Amino acid sequence: MFKKIALVILFSLALASCKADEHSADSKTVLIETSGRFDGSTLAGNLMATAMKEIYKVDFVFYPSEFLSADRYALIEPGLTPEEITDRILPLYPDKGDMDYFQIGTLRGSEIKKFVLNRTTKFYRVDLQVAGLEYDAQFIGGLPTIFQIDRPRGLPINDDEYYSIAISDYEYYSGKTFPGYRYGNGLNNSFKPQAGLHSAREALTAFLAS
């Protein structure tokens, strides 16, 4: 089984092209969709993760694939109004509530690698849509034979370095997800959260409006 999820540069380039050349018919719209959310990176997942990375100024974002509405799509055009973003784009993501809120904190590079591998092997699927890194995992007989995780352009994630990350508060610890990331993935002793929670939908709205 081969699973791959990566930072999708294509979306950012396409969106930049929309803003730079509004007279080009080919660059006016970008189609984002959620199909194949457990098989690899999706533009919808990458868009949300990238928006949070840029707005909240973190190194890495981990957005749960299961948060994406199944088999949905939307068209992004230049100059979307807040109302259009709300009506057309946000329905691909959880409404205001527990699943919209994320914690920001720091995690050592070695623990980040362990966290991603553990989430991938839990259900043998792409469990996280990400920004700021890319990873590949290959399994034979239920065991990982290849696991590689890096920052874009092959830059390493250093084991002893601390990175700022955004992770789901709902998946970290709640009555519905226990033991969650906190105990199920051992982040209770390694993840150092900041005070407060941050809205994914608000980050996406701000990112698209910028």
Side-chain angles (χ1 to χ4, degrees):
M1 181 188 302
F2 176 75
K3 297 183 181 295
K4 180 177 181 180
I5 189 165
L7 177 66
V8 180
I9 305 299
L10 176 62
F11 177 80
S12 298
L13 293 176
L15 188 57
S17 175
C18 289
K19 293 181 179 179
D21 185 6
E22 295 185 1
H23 300 291
S24 172
D26 293 335
S27 66
K28 282 189 175 180
T29 61
V30 176
L31 174 68
I32 63 171
E33 57 184 338
T34 64
S35 60
R37 56 187 171 148
F38 296 123
D39 298 322
S41 179
T42 67
L43 283 182
N46 179 246
L47 169 61
M48 176 60 86
T50 299
M52 294 177 65
K53 181 180 185 295
E54 294 301 314
I55 296 300
Y56 295 132
K57 308 300 182 186
V58 296
D59 295 315
F60 308 130
V61 174
F62 301 103
Y63 191 86
S65 296
E66 65 179 338
F67 284 8
L68 298 174
S69 299
D71 299 321
R72 298 286 297 271
Y73 71 90
L75 292 173
I76 296 181
E77 302 170 320
L80 286 174
T81 66
E83 292 76 17
E84 289 172 329
I85 294 172
T86 299
D87 293 341
R88 293 164 50 181
I89 310 302
L90 294 187
L92 275 64
Y93 310 96
D95 201 349
K96 287 285 187 181
D98 293 344
M99 286 186 280
D100 182 51
Y101 293 106
F102 281 67
Q103 294 191 36
I104 290 176
T106 58
L107 192 63
R108 190 190 298 266
S110 59
E111 295 297 326
I112 289 173
K113 296 174 184 178
K114 185 187 302 183
F115 170 67
V116 174
L117 179 60
N118 287 345
R119 295 308 305 177
T120 304
T121 56
K122 183 176 178 63
F123 299 111
Y124 295 97
R125 69 184 189 186
V126 172
D127 193 66
L128 301 165
Q129 304 284 311
V130 301
L133 59 83
E134 53 192 29
Y135 67 90
D136 298 327
Q138 184 172 346
F139 302 91
I140 296 179
L143 297 175
T145 57
I146 297 175
F147 179 69
Q148 182 175 351
I149 179 169
D150 297 290
R151 291 183 291 168
R153 297 180 295 277
L155 295 175
I157 297 175
N158 299 318
D159 285 348
D160 294 329
E161 185 173 346
Y162 283 87
Y163 297 90
S164 58
I165 69 170
I167 59 173
S168 167
D169 180 64
Y170 177 79
E171 294 288 347
Y172 180 74
Y173 184 76
S174 73
K176 296 180 180 179
T177 61
F178 183 85
Y181 298 165
R182 184 174 184 177
Y183 297 112
N185 296 113
L187 297 191
N188 55 308
N189 292 321
S190 55
F191 177 61
K192 309 300 181 185
Q194 300 175 0
L197 298 176
H198 305 266
S199 167
R201 289 163 63 95
E202 288 179 8
L204 179 56
T205 301
F207 180 72
L208 291 176
S210 62

